[in-house]
Amino acid sequence: EIKLVESGGGLVQPGGSLTLSCAASGFSLSNRAMNWVRQAPGKGLEWVGGINGAGAKYYTEAVQGRFIISRDYAKNTMYLQMTGLKTEDSAMYYCAKDFDMRTMTGTRGQGTQVTVSS
């Protein structure tokens, strides 16, 4: 069974940092394209960034320079390091497998909530 479990969310002050984890099971992250997406209350799903099978990383402009995606193959886990957090980064964050950016669909976990507030 393919499963994605996100963790690491929480409440953080503006300017703070968080690292989210996405533990994968049922398949290997090795050479697999994976993405992070988020959804703020009342808004649609937003692509945050992704890593392709070759390890190249891409980010939406809003998080470029502040967020970093990485993978630990031994733990079969993907990470999203977030720094310089802003209130507009508040959202439910999901990791996604087989994500289609045209339809904004793919296999996601249950998500982890990030709230940036003073």
Side-chain angles (χ1 to χ4, degrees):
E1 177 189 5
I2 292 173
K3 196 172 181 182
L4 297 168
V5 179
E6 301 92 338
S7 62
L11 174 64
V12 62
Q13 292 186 339
S17 302
L18 278 176
T19 296
L20 307 184
S21 300
C22 169
S25 58
F27 71 102
S28 173
L29 289 179
S30 178
N31 299 320
R32 167 80 66 175
M34 293 289 293
N35 293 272
W36 285 97
V37 297
R38 65 186 180 185
Q39 187 164 24
K43 295 189 177 181
L45 202 60
E46 177 188 20
W47 177 77
V48 175
I51 181 168
N52 68 14
K57 302 167 190 179
Y58 306 89
Y59 304 93
T60 190
E61 187 175 351
V63 308
Q64 184 75 44
R66 299 189 296 120
F67 290 12
I68 298 174
I69 294 172
S70 62
R71 290 188 289 204
D72 184 330
Y73 292 133
K75 295 182 179 180
N76 211 37
T77 298
M78 179 174 68
Y79 302 96
L80 181 66
Q81 296 173 262
M82 307 185 294
T83 60
L85 283 163
K86 306 175 181 180
T87 55
E88 52 263 42
D89 293 319
S90 296
M92 185 71 79
Y93 282 72
Y94 305 88
C95 59
K97 173 182 174 290
D98 299 327
F99 191 72
D100 186 329
M101 289 184 64
R102 295 170 300 167
T103 60
M104 299 296 279
T105 57
T107 300
R108 291 185 275 155
Q110 83 292 344
T112 186
Q113 179 68 41
V114 172
T115 303
V116 185
S117 175
S118 55

